[in-house]
Every structure is written in structure tokens, then in C-alpha cells.
Amino acid sequence: MAIGIPDVSLQDNTDERTPLVLVLDCSGSMKDERIADLNDALKNNLEVEMKKDPTTSTRGRVMVIEFGGDDEIKQGLWQDAIDFQAPTLVADGRTPTGAAITSALAAIEAQKAELKANGVPYKRPILMLMSDGEPTDNWEIAADACKAAEAANKVTVFSIGVGDGADLTKLGRFSKNGAKQLKGTQFKELFVWLSASVKAVSKTAKGESAQLPSTDSWASTGPV
């Protein structure tokens, strides 16, 4: 959202929001079948599932951040779930995980400020990091900042490794709950779960903790 241009969706719909940021690895190791499966699941599972549910479609608020290339970060716009159009991801280059997380945390705080300015209440934002490799930039400060934000209840973080090349130890540094391993390329199951989680958070009464669905459909047993 360009500075100075009001988001009319926040004026037309003042329902409480649950912000969701997807921080997605688009490095060269994600090429071919893996990126194709991810694109398919973004479009035909996450987008579809969020739009078809009455609660999630009006209360979910989504941003996608892609990281790859020559340490490139591509940050999308915030969109209500009903308006969400999944981007087409292209895999290439390195894995600047630290820079991507720094951008995500800044985007979350900016979105909170925008929601407040428009008188729109919000639930704790969700940040999902997904990567099939290990960071190629200076990621440690960003990891500490991400975990600290989660500890301060500013964000809920899910860190997910894809494939055998994912460094779960490093990915685990971004969340107080460590990292989980995706079973194969079960992106579809992951995004169905994620949509259901946004719904659960959105419907939770103030002061109560959301009961998220089980991760058994997509995650290997236990955090790493």
C-alpha cells in the first residue's frame, strides 16, 4: 500500500482482522516441481479456502513476501482474504531469510498502525516462514528479533522446513517453538490447515487462546 493512499477495504469493512504474512523461500533450490506445487497450493487451496469461509474471508488479511534471486525481497500488498490473489512465485538465486523476516516484522507493525488509524481491531498477527535451504545472509539478528517479537506476544510464528535440505536448526531460531518439517511437498494440506487456523484465531473471544487444528496432516512428528 503506497504511503498516503487510504485502504478503502478498511473503511468499507471494520470487522476485526487477523493479519497473516507468508514469508516464502523462492531461491533456486525451489525450482521446478517444488515451486509448481507451491504455486498450485497457494492458488487452489489457501486462496480458495480463505475466500469460501464467511469468517476468514472478511477477517483474514494476507501479505506474501518472496525471498530469493540476488538477495531480493518482493513484498506484496496487504489484502483482505476475500480480495486475495495468490502471486505466481518464480524460483531463482540465493536465500536471504534474515532480510525477508526483517521486512515481515516491519510490515506487521506498519499494518497494526494502519488498522489502529482506521479504528479496526485486530488479533495477534501470524507469520509463517517456509524455506527449503539455509539462510545465505546475516540472519541471526533477524531471528532473535522474530523470536523476541513472539515472546512479547506481538506475533505468532510458524517456521517450516521443506525437503531434506532445510536447516531445521537455523529455522528453529526464528520461533520459540522451533521449526517443523513439512511431509514431502504437502503444501495443500499445510494451506488448508493455515486457513483453518486463521479462522480459529478470528473467532476466538478477547482474552482467550485459540485452539488451532492439529498439524498431523502436513508436519512430521514434533518440533525440531
Side-chain angles (χ1 to χ4, degrees):
M1 183 61 57
I3 296 174
I5 300 177
D7 188 335
V8 294
S9 66
L10 299 180
Q11 299 170 4
D12 294 341
N13 172 16
T14 58
D15 287 353
E16 184 177 59
R17 299 301 207 278
T18 300
L20 167 66
V21 179
L22 304 174
V23 185
L24 304 178
D25 183 350
C26 295
S27 61
S29 56
M30 286 287 292
K31 277 185 177 179
D32 301 324
E33 183 177 356
R34 191 169 288 175
I35 200 73
D37 288 346
L38 178 54
N39 276 318
D40 181 67
L42 273 174
K43 178 67 177 177
N44 295 311
N45 296 102
L46 183 66
E47 180 179 328
V48 169
E49 290 292 323
M50 295 188 79
K51 286 182 176 180
K52 76 180 184 182
D53 179 74
T55 298
T56 313
S57 64
T58 58
R59 297 189 182 185
R61 192 144 170 92
V62 189
M63 171 184 279
V64 176
I65 295 178
E66 309 163 40
F67 61 104
D70 294 327
D71 292 340
E72 297 167 0
I73 308 298
K74 185 176 179 181
Q75 182 171 307
L77 301 177
W78 285 105
Q79 301 173 76
D80 282 341
I82 192 66
D83 300 317
F84 177 58
Q85 299 293 320
T88 299
L89 310 177
V90 178
D92 187 44
R94 296 186 286 261
T95 314
T97 313
I101 289 294
T102 298
S103 294
L105 293 174
I108 286 170
E109 292 307 310
Q111 178 65 183
K112 289 179 183 178
E114 185 173 15
L115 291 168
K116 287 179 182 178
N118 283 275
V120 177
Y122 57 86
K123 289 292 201 306
R124 187 183 308 170
I126 298 170
L127 187 160
M128 193 191 78
L129 167 64
M130 187 160 57
S131 178
D132 75 335
E134 61 179 89
T136 54
D137 63 353
N138 295 320
W139 58 275
E140 292 91 343
I141 292 175
D144 290 343
C146 193
K147 186 179 285 187
E150 187 175 29
N153 296 322
K154 294 182 178 181
V155 64
T156 297
V157 180
F158 298 107
S159 188
I160 301 165
V162 179
D164 295 338
D167 191 323
L168 295 176
T169 300
K170 291 180 180 178
L171 285 172
R173 287 273 303 274
F174 290 87
S175 172
K176 65 181 183 181
N177 295 315
K180 286 185 176 291
Q181 176 75 50
L182 187 71
K183 293 178 182 177
T185 55
Q186 293 183 258
F187 299 118
K188 295 180 179 180
E189 291 82 356
L190 170 62
F191 287 138
V192 169
W193 171 87
L194 185 59
S195 178
S197 297
V198 172
K199 178 181 179 180
V201 171
S202 297
K203 296 184 73 172
T204 302
K206 186 175 181 180
E208 295 183 359
S209 297
Q211 296 298 312
L212 300 184
S214 169
T215 63
D216 289 349
S217 64
W218 60 267
S220 297
T221 305
V224 177

